[in-house]
């Protein structure tokens, strides 16, 4: 089960998290009162549906606590659609939020999509120098399902690349552990520079160092690319619920 993060937010919008409390515990009125909570924000998750009844009961017990949801996608998720009847505000990354219930439209507030401090630190990073004989940094990632697709697709793309391009290419790619050896063998046969890992702890820095990014079109990814400012080819997840990545 997901945790609820308890912390503070200042006038600039900086968030400081002090505690992580399991959802079931944090939704108890006495827990929120003990921390002096003023607002409870649900980001939209499967667990939110399970605890929505507690959220409704919480309003009757603690009138001073605001209940809000945030939806990062262009299509409102099922959990947030259900919770929208209880909340004071619906925060959205987009001015138009598809599938927002009619009764909740007056609650809509456009906030954008929050990004991590590590991403904000790369906001002013200049675009890497490029030229005919300089290294071209290509970054490929896409979460678990995206990584699987790219593990199948990218070796075929690289195999079609002219040698003149491959000699200056440096590919960084997220790859599932079970796909690493096969992808590595394919790239080694083509004799170019690459870095394959299941996870990159410094992804914002790698985005900043990239000349081009190939990725899925999830809301967080789009927000981070927009903050750092790098060109990207986005491949929507075809089986996403409500096809939100395409929209």
């Amino acid at each position: 089960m997901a945790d609820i993060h308890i912390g503070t937010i200042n006038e600039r919008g900086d968030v400081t998290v002090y505690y992580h409390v399991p959802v079931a515990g944090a939704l108890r009125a006495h827990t929120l009162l003990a921390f002096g909570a003023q607002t409870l924000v649900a980001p939209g998750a499967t667990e939110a549906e399970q605890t929505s009844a507690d959220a409704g009961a919480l309003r009757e017990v603690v009138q001073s606590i605001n209940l809000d949801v945030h939806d990062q996608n262009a299509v409102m998720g099922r959990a947030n659609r259900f919770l929208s009847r209880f909340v004071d505000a619906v925060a959205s990354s987009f001015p138009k939020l598809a599938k927002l219930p009619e009764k909740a439209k007056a609650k809509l507030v456009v906030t954008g999509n929050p990004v991590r401090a590590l991403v904000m630190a790369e906001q002013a990073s200049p675009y890497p120098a490029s030229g005919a004989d300089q290294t071209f940094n290509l970054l490929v990632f896409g979460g678990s399902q995206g990584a699987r697709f790219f593990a199948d697709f990218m070796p075929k793309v690289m195999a079609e690349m002219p040698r003149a391009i491959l000699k200056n290419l440096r590919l960084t790619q997220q790859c599932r552990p079970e796909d690493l050896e096969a992808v590595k063998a394919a790239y080694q046969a083509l004799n170019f520079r690459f870095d394959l890992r299941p996870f990159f702890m410094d992804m914002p820095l790698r985005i900043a160092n990239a000349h081009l990014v190939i990725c899925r079109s999830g809301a967080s990814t789009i927000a981070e690319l927009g903050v750092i400012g790098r060109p990207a080819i986005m491949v929507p997840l075809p089986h996403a619920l409500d096809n939100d990545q395409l929209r």
Side-chain angles (χ1 to χ4, degrees):
M1 177 175 285
D3 290 350
I4 283 181
H5 308 292
I6 297 178
T8 60
I9 182 169
N10 63 21
E11 294 179 353
R12 298 194 307 272
D14 301 323
V15 176
T16 302
V17 175
Y18 299 109
Y19 301 99
H20 303 267
V21 182
V23 168
L27 283 177
R28 296 190 185 109
H30 67 82
T31 302
L32 292 169
L33 287 172
F35 286 103
Q38 296 171 299
T39 300
L40 172 63
V41 181
T46 304
E47 292 84 358
E49 293 177 331
Q50 185 177 350
T51 57
S52 58
D54 293 320
L58 181 64
R59 171 162 305 290
E60 298 178 6
V61 178
V62 190
Q63 296 293 332
S64 61
I65 295 180
N66 295 314
L67 301 178
D68 304 329
V69 293
H70 177 270
D71 208 299
Q72 62 180 352
N73 297 311
V75 182
M76 193 174 196
R78 290 178 297 172
N80 277 346
R81 291 202 298 268
F82 184 84
L83 285 174
S84 66
R85 72 185 72 177
F86 301 109
V87 301
D88 298 287
V90 176
S92 172
S93 299
F94 301 96
K96 294 182 179 180
L97 181 58
K99 296 197 174 183
L100 174 66
E102 188 66 32
K103 292 183 178 180
K105 289 185 176 180
K107 303 177 182 180
L108 184 66
V109 179
V110 180
T111 60
N113 197 12
V115 297
R116 298 171 293 161
L118 287 173
V119 176
M120 295 302 299
E122 301 298 337
Q123 185 176 25
S125 298
Y127 186 75
S130 60
D133 295 322
Q134 291 182 302
T135 296
F136 185 89
N137 296 320
L138 177 62
L139 175 62
V140 179
F141 64 91
S144 58
Q145 296 184 65
R148 180 180 182 181
F149 167 79
F150 291 127
D152 295 334
F153 182 70
M154 290 307 299
K156 299 174 184 177
V157 173
M158 295 297 106
E160 296 295 326
M161 288 285 185
R163 186 64 215 166
I165 293 179
L166 284 179
K167 71 175 184 179
N168 293 324
L169 181 67
R170 180 164 56 205
L171 171 64
T172 300
Q173 182 175 339
Q174 179 192 9
C175 200
R176 301 186 310 164
E178 56 266 41
D179 296 327
L180 272 172
E181 290 305 315
V183 178
K184 180 179 178 181
Y187 291 164
Q188 285 179 333
L190 296 171
N191 191 27
F192 70 95
R193 290 171 292 172
F194 62 89
D195 183 3
L196 302 176
R197 301 186 197 179
F199 187 77
F200 294 98
M201 296 295 295
D202 57 347
M203 186 62 80
L205 177 61
R206 290 178 183 269
I207 293 175
N209 289 335
H211 293 96
L212 177 66
V213 177
I214 300 177
C215 58
R216 289 299 194 192
S217 52
S220 295
T221 297
I222 292 174
E224 293 182 1
L225 286 169
V227 168
I228 299 173
R230 293 298 179 266
I233 298 173
M234 297 182 183
V235 184
L237 182 65
H239 306 299
L241 188 66
D242 297 322
N243 209 14
D244 61 276
Q245 290 202 5
L246 183 61
R247 302 179 68 168

